[in-house]
């Protein structure tokens, strides 16, 4: 028998994930060098939250991107490109008075002094996102609401919006007592928050501590160990970060090439990152979050979720641009299931994670030949040992 619904029953989620935040048209250099010296650029798209939405949609999850873009050609391109990945863009608002943000960057690693980024996003359509210019029901329409700290830095209205959607609602009056069968709780999706500290977006460096307050309101938090040190002065490693952030049900501290550490109510989990031949050091953080979320949707154990994050991040690091196709579930499952020794021997190169469900053939002599070959070599060794035993018995 179907239970009759009440007026205060929360609606069922429409999608797996809602990603809210600004996306911009990005211009990638045609060759290395200073912005002043690069003769031409290739157009692409970039945005932390839309990157996550696109990656999850490409992996078969249902994703919705919510934002504002200008009523201009760049806005047309953004919406079309993100929709082409399978993301629902029906709640993206067009602003006739504010432009779509754009930025230019050099080809160097973001962490080096040679890296340059020129943002043209002040007064953008996305900076006008607020509790009144977006649909609150659409924001709450997913199983997960994914956010990043970038949005909080765009404008005062955006910061107010971030405080509202990360607010931990406890009870609301429903006209019935606690024993009346109604929980009286406002429905809130699981809130995923990637700190994504961008120093250049904050007027005062001390303002970045706002991100700590927002993280405390989230259920799942991603933060880099370096980010926590720069933004919050936390230099004691992952355990110190967890001590400062006990509120989130799950905290993931990313440590770059050293791997990641996750915490939940059941314990602490550390997983090293496989080696990767870096083509472009951009987009890896967004890909890690998407991979972790994908494994979360599948109900996989926390250590496996971390490995998924590493594999999706490696897929982003080994291609140019901010947005990379995730590895196929079959390939990711096979690699994530490797024993610790084989996992630590992984060495991923360009194309290794984008060859579909079959086993990649890295070929002899390549630096990455111990990549997925670790699994194949172990199997070959077992075969040779079995053959030797047969010979001795004969």
């Amino acid at each position: 028998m179907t239970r009759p619904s009440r007026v205060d029953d929360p609606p069922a989620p429409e999608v797996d994930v809602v990603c809210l935040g600004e996306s911009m048209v990005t211009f990638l250099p045609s060759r290395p060098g200073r912005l002043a010296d690069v003769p031409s650029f290739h157009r692409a798209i970039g945005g932390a939250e839309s990157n996550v939405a696109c990656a999850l949609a490409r992996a078969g999850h249902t994703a919705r991107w919510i934002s504002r873009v200008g009523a201009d050609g760049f806005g047309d391109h953004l919406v079309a490109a993100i929709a082409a990945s399978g993301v629902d863009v029906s709640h993206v608002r067009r602003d006739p008075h504010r432009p779509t943000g754009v930025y230019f960057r050099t080809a160097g690693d973001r962490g080096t002094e040679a890296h340059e980024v020129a943002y043209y996003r002040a007064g953008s359509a996305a900076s006008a996102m607020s509790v009144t210019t977006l649909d609150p029901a659409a924001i709450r329409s997913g199983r997960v609401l994914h956010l990043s700290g970038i949005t909080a830095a765009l404008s005062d209205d955006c910061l107010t919006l971030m405080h509202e959607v990360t607010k931990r609602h406890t009870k609301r009056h429903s006209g019935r007592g606690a024993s009346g069968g109604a929980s009286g709780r406002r429905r809130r999706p699981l809130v995923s928050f990637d700190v994504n500290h961008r120093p250049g977006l904050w007027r005062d460096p001390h303002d970045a501590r706002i991100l700590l307050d927002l993280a405390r309101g989230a259920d799942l938090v991603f933060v880099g160990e370096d980010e926590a040190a720069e933004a919050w002065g936390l230099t004691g490693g992952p355990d110190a970060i967890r001590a400062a952030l006990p509120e989130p049900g799950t905290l993931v501290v990313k440590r770059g090439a050293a791997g990641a550490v996750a915490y939940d109510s059941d314990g602490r989990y550390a997983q090293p990152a496989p080696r990767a031949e870096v083509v472009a050091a951009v987009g890896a953080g967004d890909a890690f979050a998407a991979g972790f979320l994908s494994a979360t949707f599948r109900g996989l154990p926390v250590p496996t979720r971390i490995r998924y994050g590493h594999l999706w991040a490696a897929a982003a690091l080994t291609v140019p641009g901010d947005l990379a196709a995730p590895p196929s579930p079959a390939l990711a499952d096979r690699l994530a299931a490797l024993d610790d020794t084989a996992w630590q021997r992984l060495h991923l190169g360009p194309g290794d994670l984008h060859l579909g469900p079959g086993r990649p053939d890295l070929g002899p002599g390549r630096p990455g030949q111990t990549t997925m070959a670790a699994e194949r070599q172990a199997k070959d060794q077992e075969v040779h040992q079995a053959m030797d035993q047969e010979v001795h018995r004969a």
Side-chain angles (χ1 to χ4, degrees):
M1 179 177 178
T2 303
R3 180 177 65 85
S5 61
R6 295 193 320 271
V7 172
D8 59 352
D9 276 345
E14 298 175 9
V15 293
D16 290 329
V17 62
V18 170
C19 299
L20 185 156
E22 181 175 35
S23 190
M24 295 183 290
V25 172
T26 176
F27 290 91
L28 308 178
S30 57
R31 64 173 177 83
R34 301 183 310 152
L35 287 179
D37 300 327
V38 174
S40 59
F41 297 82
H42 304 292
R43 185 183 65 176
I45 65 171
E49 302 84 1
S50 61
N51 287 349
V52 171
C54 288
L56 286 169
R58 290 180 176 186
H61 301 285
T62 52
R64 171 174 290 162
W65 175 55
I66 296 179
S67 188
R68 291 173 62 84
V69 300
D72 50 32
F74 287 148
D76 293 342
H77 175 65
L78 271 179
V79 173
I82 293 170
S85 290
V87 177
D88 172 35
V89 295
S90 60
H91 291 275
V92 176
R93 298 289 179 258
R94 308 301 294 264
D95 191 322
H97 306 295
R98 298 176 179 86
T100 303
V102 300
Y103 72 98
F104 297 76
R105 68 170 176 83
T106 56
D109 187 340
R110 179 178 283 158
T112 67
E113 293 183 359
H115 184 69
E116 297 177 73
V117 180
Y119 287 106
Y120 299 91
R121 74 194 313 173
S124 69
S127 70
M129 292 188 295
S130 71
V131 293
T132 58
T133 60
L134 297 177
D135 181 358
I139 293 173
R140 295 193 300 269
S141 63
R143 294 166 60 192
V144 170
L145 171 62
H146 182 72
L147 311 163
S148 91
I150 294 172
T151 303
L154 297 181
S155 68
D156 290 340
D157 282 342
C158 285
L159 178 57
T160 299
L161 172 65
M162 290 290 288
H163 278 305
E164 178 61 27
V165 297
T166 58
K167 186 185 302 180
R168 293 187 181 276
H169 298 289
T170 53
K171 295 274 188 176
R172 69 173 179 178
H173 295 293
S174 62
R176 304 175 69 175
S179 61
S183 69
R185 292 187 183 275
R186 295 182 62 180
R187 180 189 176 274
R188 172 180 118 150
L190 184 145
V191 175
S192 167
F193 179 66
D194 191 339
V195 171
N196 249 323
H197 178 230
R198 297 287 185 269
L201 293 179
W202 296 94
R203 292 183 291 272
D204 184 333
H206 294 95
D207 287 345
R209 292 194 67 84
I210 292 169
L211 299 175
L212 187 59
D213 294 332
L214 293 173
R216 287 174 173 148
D219 303 297
L220 166 60
V221 172
F222 301 95
V223 62
E225 187 175 13
D226 56 343
E227 288 180 305
E230 184 175 22
W232 307 329
L234 297 173
T235 57
D239 290 347
I241 298 171
R242 181 55 165 173
L245 265 176
E247 296 88 354
T250 303
L251 170 68
V252 182
V253 180
K254 298 174 292 182
R255 311 188 71 195
V261 180
Y263 302 82
D264 67 7
S265 59
D266 293 325
R268 180 185 192 273
Y269 317 87
Q271 287 288 325
R275 289 175 295 164
E277 298 174 34
V278 178
V279 173
V282 292
D286 304 330
F288 182 98
F292 191 96
L293 285 170
S294 178
T296 300
F297 287 132
R298 296 177 58 193
L300 300 179
V302 174
T304 305
R305 298 178 196 181
I306 301 173
R307 286 191 173 189
Y308 253 74
H310 286 323
L311 291 169
W312 287 39
L317 289 170
T318 54
V319 298
D322 288 23
L323 193 59
S328 71
L331 177 57
D333 284 347
R334 185 160 58 250
L335 295 179
L338 291 174
D339 62 37
D340 290 345
T341 300
W343 174 260
Q344 292 178 28
R345 291 172 61 188
L346 280 178
H347 187 165
L348 301 166
D352 288 350
L353 292 168
H354 300 107
L355 297 180
R359 184 194 306 276
D361 183 6
L362 300 180
R366 278 195 44 188
Q369 66 181 0
T370 59
T371 310
M372 275 75 67
E375 184 185 1
R376 182 173 64 243
Q377 289 169 355
K379 184 55 124 179
D380 291 344
Q381 186 175 9
E382 292 175 6
V383 172
H384 287 305
Q385 288 174 347
M387 291 176 64
D388 289 340
Q389 291 172 3
E390 288 294 327
V391 169
H392 290 311
R393 279 199 297 270

